Amino acid sequence: MGRASRLITMLGVGLLATAFASPARGDQAQAGKPGLDRFYTQQLSWTGCGGGFQCAKLTVPLDYRDAGGETIQLAVIRLRASGSKRIGSLVTNPGGPGGSGLEFLRDESAAFGSALRAQFDLVSFDPRGVGESAPVRCLTGPEQDAYFAMDDSPETRAEEKALEVADRKYLKACETNSGRLLPHVGTLDAARDMDVLRAALGDQRMTYLGFSYGTYLGAVYADLFPKRVRAMTLDGAMDPALTENEADESQGAGFDVAYTAFVKDCFKAANCPFEGRTVAKAFAETKKLLKRADRKALPSSTDSRKVTEQVVLTGIQSAMYSADSWPDLRDALAEGFKGDGTALQALADFYNERRPDGTYSNLNDAFRAINCADQPRGASAATRPRSVSAGKNGGKPDLFGDYFTDGEDTTDWCADWPAKPSPVPRSLPAKGSAPILVVGMVRDSATPYAQAKALARQFDSGVLLTFDGDGHTAFFQSGCVKGQVSAYLLTGKTPRDGTVCASGT
């Protein structure tokens, strides 16, 4: 389902002639377009922005088909290399789509490790439509509170009608507040922005580390500009060959695998609310909690908001991104079973990036805008093959699969979107690229492991690195993965295809 399935998810200005020489398959997307030279030759004006970071604005065309027309500015942040043997810039994206690269780098820069920090300027940016880069805005904070509480799996005509009315209101608000931006916030344009950023940073070729949706952005970049890839790691990979509905089904199954791992781990904890149960019974009790909240929302002690079925589901989903959140989920479920939704609401607020003052980041607005820009219209769920049967999950316990594949067609979610799409090709082989390292986690919740294997196979030069772990994305969870990725980014030499980092390493 659309709102339920979000992937939350981290050489010289004078080289223009080299940048445009011998364009490969996708390089033609930029070559020969009049007016782009002024973007590729721009000099970034860096200023200190606290904590040792420097910030700048990158100017790009709003519409690459009209490079002489309106421009927008993208917010960029960097942390200079700490050592004397600087290689260049390591550009990162945290995912979403809609995640702020500025906030990500501020929060996680130390976790990249001393080796990368010594030889690379760590660089990130808010992609177009996101954060501080011409952000898409739709609803106010109170309006988003109501929207996120809507029943996303209606069982009655009244619930269906209420959801339809809420969605029409949402679409109208997006058109009113951000109409001029909506046709131009897709991943194809964001990937073109990345190449302008590469040139403005003074790098002849791109070194990139993308997480979750950032793997999709990286794959699109590599396919557009294969000869400009120096080294690229894609962690928590998305498979571009999947339709949006197939991705929803895959993701629903992935969250069920993650919830199974959570439940099994819970059995070992003293405060487990499922003590003495089986996995199947724990799933059944969780479903009862959701249905209870559907019949009558749970109260919250923090404010007047009601904890509906959708809020409970989002709270549980939030904790599936990292095993570090599992103790919080154990407590939240224990309170929920007693009729108190406060802790589940807090987990959902964290996922939705709701601030203490009741406002939200623009993550969710950007998420929908970018997805609807990327997806073709008109496909029907009834005529599209499904990768995972809804409600079956191979006979395994099913919770998220029921909600992610309840019959809603994600293309319908975008059918009335007030902007035409610029669909991304389903095949992104990146022919001619340097080796691309794809990292997959065996029990990744948001981007199931099968997608990492598929993406590595799709690339002409793909190499797969596996981590036998839980959560979403592996680089910050595994010293083994971090070591393998760091060595590759520094030297360009990949680990052996199929290398596995064991759990706990």
Side-chain angles (χ1 to χ4, degrees):
M1 287 175 4
R3 286 192 293 134
S5 55
R6 193 179 73 231
L7 301 180
I8 326 279
T9 290
M10 109 224 214
L11 276 108
V13 170
L15 294 172
L16 186 64
T18 301
F20 284 133
S22 302
R25 170 194 179 190
D27 294 341
Q28 296 173 4
Q30 302 291 53
K33 294 287 187 181
L36 284 180
D37 55 342
R38 67 188 177 110
F39 300 106
Y40 272 84
T41 57
Q42 67 185 289
Q43 303 244 10
L44 294 175
S45 178
W46 296 99
T47 58
C49 51
F53 293 93
Q54 296 177 321
C55 294
K57 296 290 187 180
L58 178 76
T59 301
V60 295
L62 175 64
D63 184 349
Y64 275 92
R65 296 168 299 181
D66 182 20
E70 185 177 355
T71 63
I72 56 175
Q73 290 192 316
L74 308 184
V76 184
I77 189 171
R78 76 176 177 184
L79 184 65
R80 296 304 301 270
S82 61
S84 59
K85 297 181 179 180
R86 178 182 176 275
I87 294 173
S89 303
L90 173 59
V91 178
T92 68
N93 180 277
S100 169
L102 274 64
E103 294 182 10
F104 168 71
L105 193 59
R106 287 187 181 279
D107 291 343
E108 302 294 344
S109 60
F112 278 80
S114 58
L116 293 180
R117 291 183 65 189
Q119 296 191 57
F120 286 107
D121 294 344
L122 300 184
V123 177
S124 197
F125 66 105
D126 285 353
R128 56 173 60 210
V130 175
E132 297 181 22
S133 298
V136 172
R137 289 286 184 187
C138 299
L139 302 178
T140 65
E143 288 171 337
Q144 290 203 67
D145 285 341
Y147 191 62
F148 288 133
M150 293 297 301
D151 190 338
D152 215 17
S153 55
E155 290 123 356
T156 68
R157 181 54 192 155
E159 290 177 339
E160 290 177 359
K161 184 68 174 178
L163 188 58
E164 290 169 3
V165 169
D167 212 45
R168 282 198 298 270
K169 180 180 179 181
Y170 182 87
L171 293 172
K172 182 63 176 177
C174 291
E175 183 175 23
T176 299
N177 297 326
S178 299
R180 82 182 228 288
L181 296 170
L182 299 182
H184 309 294
V185 295
T187 301
L188 286 170
D189 282 329
R192 295 181 179 110
D193 293 340
M194 279 177 56
D195 202 52
V196 175
L197 175 60
R198 171 199 60 76
L201 291 171
D203 291 347
Q204 184 174 5
R205 293 193 296 163
M206 172 71 75
T207 305
Y208 178 78
L209 175 55
F211 303 91
S212 195
Y213 162 80
T215 68
Y216 189 55
L217 177 59
V220 172
Y221 178 88
D223 195 60
L224 285 174
F225 309 105
K227 297 296 186 181
R228 300 179 199 171
V229 174
R230 176 192 166 272
M232 177 174 286
T233 297
L234 307 178
D235 182 4
M238 294 172 59
D239 178 5
L242 297 180
T243 66
E244 192 75 359
N245 284 277
E246 289 169 343
D248 281 350
E249 292 165 357
S250 172
Q251 195 181 39
F255 274 102
D256 281 331
V257 169
Y259 196 64
T260 299
F262 160 74
V263 168
K264 290 180 177 179
D265 181 78
C266 181
F267 291 154
K268 306 172 188 176
N271 64 336
C272 179
F274 301 119
E275 184 179 2
R277 318 296 206 277
T278 63
V279 170
K281 287 183 178 179
F283 269 68
E285 289 182 19
T286 307
K287 288 184 179 181
K288 287 181 181 179
L289 175 62
L290 288 161
K291 294 305 177 186
R292 174 182 176 182
D294 187 31
R295 291 191 300 270
K296 183 179 180 181
L298 305 177
S300 170
S301 62
T302 56
D303 53 43
S304 61
R305 289 180 295 154
K306 300 298 183 183
V307 183
T308 64
E309 177 186 28
Q310 185 61 35
V311 175
V312 172
L313 183 72
T314 303
I316 297 171
Q317 183 178 349
S318 176
M320 294 299 98
Y321 282 78
S322 172
D324 291 342
S325 299
W326 289 359
D328 296 328
L329 181 58
R330 289 198 300 267
D331 292 339
L333 286 171
E335 293 179 17
F337 290 138
K338 296 176 183 177
D340 183 353
T342 304
L344 286 165
Q345 183 184 70
L347 287 170
D349 284 348
F350 176 79
Y351 182 83
N352 288 323
E353 294 196 359
R354 186 182 193 269
R355 305 182 182 104
D357 64 0
T359 62
Y360 289 80
S361 77
N362 88 313
L363 170 66
N364 293 283
D365 293 337
F367 170 79
R368 185 160 183 179
I370 294 168
N371 272 307
C372 289
D374 287 350
Q375 297 301 322
R377 307 284 193 269
S380 169
T383 61
R384 188 184 301 108
R386 294 198 159 200
S387 58
V388 180
S389 297
K392 293 182 180 179
N393 196 19
K396 298 176 183 178
D398 193 311
L399 174 66
F400 288 95
D402 282 346
Y403 285 90
F404 281 38
T405 57
D406 67 349
E408 178 185 346
D409 185 353
T410 306
T411 53
D412 288 343
W413 189 58
C414 293
D416 296 321
W417 187 248
K420 291 182 179 180
S422 299
V424 176
R426 296 294 183 193
S427 176
L428 301 171
K431 292 181 180 179
S433 169
I436 298 174
L437 181 61
V438 179
V439 182
M441 185 147 55
V442 173
R443 291 173 297 281
D444 193 306
S445 53
T447 51
Y449 180 56
Q451 295 196 40
K453 292 193 291 184
L455 181 61
R457 289 195 302 266
Q458 186 173 136
F459 288 135
D460 275 12
S461 59
V463 174
L464 180 65
L465 172 65
T466 298
F467 176 50
D468 184 9
D470 299 283
H472 179 45
T473 73
F475 180 80
F476 295 115
Q477 297 194 51
S478 165
C480 173
V481 170
K482 185 180 293 186
Q484 296 279 2
V485 169
S486 298
Y488 160 63
L489 293 175
L490 289 165
T491 67
K493 184 178 179 180
T494 65
R496 180 177 54 84
D497 186 30
T499 297
V500 177
C501 286
S503 177
T505 63

